[in-house]
Amino acid sequence: MRTLQLPDGAAVPVIGQGTWHMGENPAERQNEVAALRVGIELGMSLIDTAEMYAEGGAEVVVGEAIRNCRERVFLVSKVYPHNASRTGVPKACERSLRRLGTDCIDLYLLHWRGQHPLGETVEAFERLKEQGKIRRWGVSNLDLDDLLELDSSACATNQVLYNPAERGIEYDLLPWCQAQGMPIMAYCPLGQGGDLLRHAAVRKVALHHAVQPAQVALAWALRQPGVLVIPKSSSPEHLRANASAAELKLTADDLQLLDDAFPPPNRPQALQMV
């Protein structure tokens, strides 16, 4: 698995695993645990979760999946905006650590901006770093104006929506992050509801390379320097396909076909979120 470097030099896989909607159905728990473990074996050792997902249920699933291999996993979790105060962050982190069954989170993110000042959240993050509860911190769903206000070289990443059908960040946010050496962590890189993967242009490129449409979507995002992706899957077959997307190289003709189907932005756009 290819890796990219975070600002502090830590190497992380360019394809990780998302966990949104995991932990919602107890009947699926063992399948979800098994899928995460398969992904780890395939090199997708970055696992992204959040206290919001199933109200902590996804963190419990992740905790079970990494129980005997914590040292092999780069663990990402996120704090609710309403918990992102000076006193709320440490309490939320403790709850996440307990559910995850670990004493340290590798990367702790503000899930999106809320009512608490960014400076107050950062202050709480830095205190958690000093205490050894987290190794680094970052943000999610912050637009360029927010990052300019944040004004911190310690921010390890910005996790945002990015896929061929939703590429507004390419106008200003992505270039700025690339110039700063701040990686973008792309969530929903396969789109939502399956429409992207059924699109004729994506399927044509997939047929050309004899791969699955999901591999095309992931390779498309990974063509950008400083971008990593966190697709979610509970299928071993899909996990293997996702992992192999790191080696798929799209041609100029492929990219032109996708540009024609999903035009790049030609003006600033409000940050898209799901």
Side-chain angles (χ1 to χ4, degrees):
M1 177 63 65
R2 290 194 288 118
T3 62
L4 64 75
Q5 282 195 338
L6 298 181
D8 65 357
V12 295
V14 294
I15 303 179
Q17 301 185 80
T19 62
W20 190 21
H21 297 308
M22 285 190 179
E24 295 177 355
N25 182 356
E28 289 296 317
R29 178 164 173 169
Q30 290 310 309
N31 287 337
E32 292 167 348
V33 168
L36 290 172
R37 288 175 176 168
V38 169
I40 293 168
E41 294 302 319
L42 291 168
M44 296 184 291
S45 55
L46 183 151
I47 299 179
D48 174 83
T49 191
E51 66 170 339
M52 185 191 83
Y53 301 163
E55 292 299 325
E59 289 182 322
V60 173
V61 171
V62 172
E64 185 172 344
I66 68 174
R67 185 171 298 158
N68 297 315
C69 59
R70 172 65 184 94
E71 71 286 350
R72 298 173 57 191
V73 172
F74 188 92
L75 192 56
V76 184
S77 194
K78 300 184 281 292
V79 61
Y80 264 129
H82 61 257
N83 287 333
S85 65
R86 190 175 289 106
T87 57
V89 166
K91 294 176 182 177
C93 185
E94 287 294 344
R95 292 191 294 269
S96 289
L97 289 170
R98 188 163 54 250
R99 289 188 291 260
L100 291 163
T102 187
D103 58 3
C104 184
I105 295 170
D106 295 299
L107 177 57
Y108 199 38
L109 309 180
L110 171 63
H111 207 151
W112 65 91
R113 189 169 187 177
Q115 63 180 355
H116 299 293
L118 291 175
E120 185 174 331
T121 305
V122 169
E123 180 184 328
F125 282 164
E126 289 291 346
R127 186 170 295 113
L128 288 175
K129 276 181 64 177
E130 293 169 1
Q131 296 169 349
K133 301 293 179 67
I134 65 173
R135 291 193 170 92
R136 53 193 67 78
W137 60 267
V139 295
S140 178
N141 294 306
L142 262 61
D143 209 343
L144 181 55
D145 289 347
D146 300 311
L147 292 178
L148 292 172
E149 179 184 338
L150 182 69
D151 190 26
S152 176
S153 60
C155 182
T157 191
N158 187 16
Q159 184 180 122
V160 294
L161 177 67
Y162 185 49
N163 60 59
E166 291 149 318
R167 53 190 298 188
I169 67 167
E170 290 181 353
Y171 187 82
D172 51 8
L173 178 60
L174 177 58
W176 186 88
C177 288
Q178 289 171 327
Q180 302 299 312
M182 180 190 299
I184 286 287
M185 190 178 294
Y187 71 79
C188 293
L190 305 180
Q192 305 163 69
D195 289 346
L196 174 64
L197 303 186
R198 291 189 292 267
H199 193 281
V202 177
R203 296 183 70 84
K204 184 175 181 178
V205 174
L207 184 63
H208 173 234
H209 290 277
V211 298
Q212 296 181 11
Q215 292 167 277
V216 172
L218 296 178
W220 178 90
L222 294 176
R223 84 200 189 286
Q224 290 279 6
V227 170
L228 64 92
V229 294
I230 46 171
K232 179 251 182 183
S233 178
S234 296
S235 160
E237 177 188 0
H238 292 161
L239 285 162
R240 285 189 286 271
N242 288 350
S244 67
E247 305 308 318
L248 176 60
K249 303 297 183 186
L250 301 181
T251 68
D253 287 343
D254 295 332
L255 295 174
Q256 186 60 58
L257 181 64
L258 294 170
D259 278 351
D260 291 343
F262 309 103
N266 56 16
R267 62 184 184 278
Q269 297 181 11
L271 185 67
Q272 296 169 289
M273 296 172 52
V274 295

